[in-house]
Structures are given as structure tokens and as C-alpha cells.
């Protein structure tokens, strides 16, 4: 059986409203998420037992990696069918970690897809969604390769209406991240300590419905109420975003819980000039990359 190669896209949250804390400790949210045409590549070959190697030495390749968590979840879910005995994974890592770009979650879903293909598709889409949600809150969205609306703790995913998706597809976007990352549990914990940062669910839905119902372009959708707690501690973020607003007229935002930020770029924008300003502010270790929304 030959190996297979799966593209694991990065994502950005164009709209992210964290609406409140749930009884189970997770948070409810309403978010519009778009996958990007840039991401990791995961190769999988059938083997005895599961193992992972990665071209980036900073990536842990032990059981804490979501690829191996996905593999054991898949093996357990299909044990009665004897569908898979193992696989050797190789991860080509391009998506920065601790970024709010969904890299680990996307890799996990790529592993589920790879194993399901190798095993002859024993699981259907609904079963894969259930497994993905058990691995991480924002995994389910990566089973779609187009913009989606995500609700609940991230597991309730619906495709964006075609007309709205068309306002996003193909848009040019600049992704940039400082050398430091932000831990997702920390960001949610800070919001829980300051409940005024939540946006009530009804307001979040009304805001989203206004954009969905109108002709407004992607820029009018942009929102993220996790920025407040992140910007309080990591001041390098708001300082640069303000500079990009004033110098280039951009509307930059943070993605997810950060620390990656993004700006939709007009087609005529001078990407390298903007990248130079970002590197000037955050140093040469900053990650800067152009992409397109899928
Ligand atoms: O599910 P996942 O492992 O991605 O979540 C990481 C952490 O982020 C959770 O342990 C929780 O603290 C927080 N979280 C949350 N509400 C969500 C998603 C994540 O509070 N909807």
C-alpha cells in the first residue's frame, strides 16, 4: 500500500465572538473561520504501530502531538473493523505554533483523513466530525475546505452561504506573528477573569447576521473580542496594528487567541513594504507570510 500526502491548511478567524463560559469550563463562541492556501503537509504510510517525525525539531513528536492523538483515537474507533494496524507519519511543518492559526488541529484532522483513506473509508463524515471534536475544540472545521461558521465550543460547524463565501474566497491576506506565542488556555482564562470582555450571544449573532445579509466586503466582518486581554499583556501587538492602520490604511486583526495577526490586502498593496514595517517592529524573527483565503 503506497503512502499518501494530505495538505493541512492554516486557518484564520475573520470573526470571533467569545460569548461566555459554559458549565463544563469551555467557552461558547460564534466564529467565521476561513482556511488558507498555506499550511502543513502530512505524509502517512501504513506500518505496524504509530510513529511521527517532523522536519521542525521544535515540534514534539511524542504522544502529546495531536497527530498521534488523532491516530490512537482513529484506531480505537475502528478497532472492531480491524481497519488499521499503524502508520508512519512525516509532518512538514510550516504553520507557526502558539499562533491561533490552528496548526496542531489541522494536522490532527489530516491524520484522521489519511488513516481513513488508507483503511478504505470505514468512517463517514459524521463519524469523523465526532472524532475530530474529541481531539480539540477547533478540529471539526478542518473537515471543510471552505469558510465556515463555528458555534458551541467549536464543534458545531456550518458552511457559510455560497454568496457570503464568495465575498471571502481568494482574498489576499498577510499573516504575521511575533517570535512569542500565546497559550489558548491562558487567553480564555483571562477572559473568564474579566467577564465584561464577553460579547453576549444575541449580539454576536446579530452582528454576524448583518454581514451575512448585506453586500459588505470581508473587511466589515472582521472582529475578535479576545484581542482585549491579549493586547493588555502583549503590547507589541496593538502597537504594530495601529502602525499598519495609519501607514497603510489596513484593518489588521488578531487570529483566534493569537499571537498571529492578519490583514486583508488590496490587490495593489505593496506586500514587501508592509512586511518590512512588521519586521522593523517585531524583529527579523517575526513570521511573515502572504496567503489567500480558500
Ligand atoms: O479544545 P482545545 O484543546 O483546543 O482547547 C484548549 C483550551 O482552550 C481548553 O482547555 C480551554 O481552556 C480553552 N477553550 C475554551 N473554550 C473553547 C475552546 C478552548 O475555554 N471553546
Amino acid at each position: 500500500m503506497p503512502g499518501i500526502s494530505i495538505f493541512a491548511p492554516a486557518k484564520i478567524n475573520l470573526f470571533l465572538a467569545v460569548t461566555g463560559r459554559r458549565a463544563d469550563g469551555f467557552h461558547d463562541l460564534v466564529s467565521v473561520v476561513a482556511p488558507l492556501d498555506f499550511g502543513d503537509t502530512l505524509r502517512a504510510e501504513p506500518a505496524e504501530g504509530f510513529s511521527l517525525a517532523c522536519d521542525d525539531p521544535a515540534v514534539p513528536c511524542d504522544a502529546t502531538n495531536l497527530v498521534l492523538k488523532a491516530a490512537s483515537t482513529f484506531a480505537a474507533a475502528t478497532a472492531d473493523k480491524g481497519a488499521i494496524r499503524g502508520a508512519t507519519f512525516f509532518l512538514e511543518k510550516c504553520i507557526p505554533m502558539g499562533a491561533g492559526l490552528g496548526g496542531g488541529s489541522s494536522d490532527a484532522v489530516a491524520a484522521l483523513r489519511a488513516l481513513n483513506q488508507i483503511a478504505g473509508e470505514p468512517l463517514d463524515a459524521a463519524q469523523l466530525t465526532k472524532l475530530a471534536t474529541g481531539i480539540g475544540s477547533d478540529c471539526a472545521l478542518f473537515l471543510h475546505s471552505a469558510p465556515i461558521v463555528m458555534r458551541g465550543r467549536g464543534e458545531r460547524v456550518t458552511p457559510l452561504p455560497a454568496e457570503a463565501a464568495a465575498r471571502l474566497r481568494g482574498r489576499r491576506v498577510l499573516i504575521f506573528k511575533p517570535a512569542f506565542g500565546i497559550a489558548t488556555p491562558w487567553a480564555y482564562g483571562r477572559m473568564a477573569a474579566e467577564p465584561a470582555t464577553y460579547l453576549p450571544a444575541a449580539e454576536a449573532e446579530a452582528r454576524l447576521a448583518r454581514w451575512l445579509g448585506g453586500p459588505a466586503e470581508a473587511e466589515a466582518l472582521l472582529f475578535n473580542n479576545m484581542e482585549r486581554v491579549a493586547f493588555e499583556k502583549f503590547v507589541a501587538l496593538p502597537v504594530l496594528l495601529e502602525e499598519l492602520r495609519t501607514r497603510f490604511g489596513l484593518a489588521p486583526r488578531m487570529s483566534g487567541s493569537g499571537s498571529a495577526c492578519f490583514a486583508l490586502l488590496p490587490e495593489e498593496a505593496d506586500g514587501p513594504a508592509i512586511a518590512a514595517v512588521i519586521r522593523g517592529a517585531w524583529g527579523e524573527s517575526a513570521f511573515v507570510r502572504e496567503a489567500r483565503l480558500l
Side-chain angles (χ1 to χ4, degrees):
M1 161 77 79
I4 55 169
S5 200
I6 303 244
F7 175 61
K11 60 85 175 162
I12 53 173
N13 299 78
L14 296 163
F15 178 91
L16 173 59
V18 180
T19 58
R21 194 155 186 256
R22 306 150 38 127
D24 64 5
F26 281 87
H27 285 80
D28 274 319
L29 46 88
V30 181
S31 186
V32 175
V33 188
L36 304 178
D37 68 353
F38 117 87
D40 300 337
T41 301
L42 184 71
R43 284 207 310 274
E45 282 175 22
E48 287 292 322
F50 293 105
S51 65
L52 171 66
C54 181
D55 63 347
D56 179 350
V59 174
C61 287
D62 60 7
T64 61
N65 192 297
L66 291 187
V67 168
L68 291 180
K69 191 172 171 195
S72 56
T73 305
F74 181 89
T78 57
D80 56 330
K81 302 183 178 86
I84 193 103
R85 299 170 68 93
T88 301
F89 294 103
F90 184 79
L91 181 62
E92 215 175 285
K93 194 75 194 154
C94 299
I95 308 173
M97 292 178 283
L101 298 173
S105 301
S106 189
D107 297 341
V109 171
L112 290 181
R113 292 164 85 150
L115 294 175
N116 204 40
Q117 275 186 38
I118 288 173
E121 314 276 340
L123 301 184
D124 62 20
Q127 290 168 309
L128 285 174
T129 300
K130 200 168 160 216
L131 288 196
T133 301
I135 295 163
S137 301
D138 68 352
C139 282
L141 71 98
F142 289 107
L143 289 164
H144 302 255
S145 36
I148 52 91
V149 183
M150 184 167 101
R151 293 185 175 84
R153 63 170 253 252
E155 82 286 8
R156 281 167 42 215
V157 171
T158 46
L160 216 55
E163 182 282 322
R167 282 184 264 157
L168 305 179
R169 192 174 308 117
R171 281 297 306 263
R172 184 181 173 205
V173 61
L174 191 69
I175 312 290
F176 44 102
K177 177 192 169 285
F180 61 83
I182 297 179
T184 302
W186 174 86
Y188 278 110
R190 285 295 305 129
M191 291 191 80
E194 230 180 302
T197 56
Y198 297 138
L199 183 72
E203 275 179 51
E205 292 290 355
R207 235 185 131 113
L208 175 58
R210 265 199 306 279
W211 185 79
L212 288 174
E217 57 191 354
E219 281 78 356
L221 173 64
L222 303 180
F223 177 79
N224 183 349
N225 67 340
M226 290 196 107
E227 284 179 350
R228 189 163 131 191
V229 292
F231 287 7
E232 263 168 24
K233 181 169 163 80
F234 302 102
V235 291
L237 272 56
V239 168
L240 173 64
L241 298 200
E242 182 55 23
E243 189 175 354
L244 297 180
R245 270 190 285 271
T246 53
R247 281 181 70 165
F248 299 102
L250 300 173
R253 292 250 79 91
M254 186 173 81
S255 179
S257 56
S259 60
C261 298
F262 65 91
L264 296 167
L265 297 184
E267 288 303 319
E268 68 280 8
D270 184 349
I274 300 167
V277 167
I278 293 168
R279 291 208 173 89
W282 286 354
E284 287 303 315
S285 57
F287 169 94
V288 187
R289 161 101 206 204
E290 266 203 42
R292 298 259 171 195
L293 304 188
L294 286 181

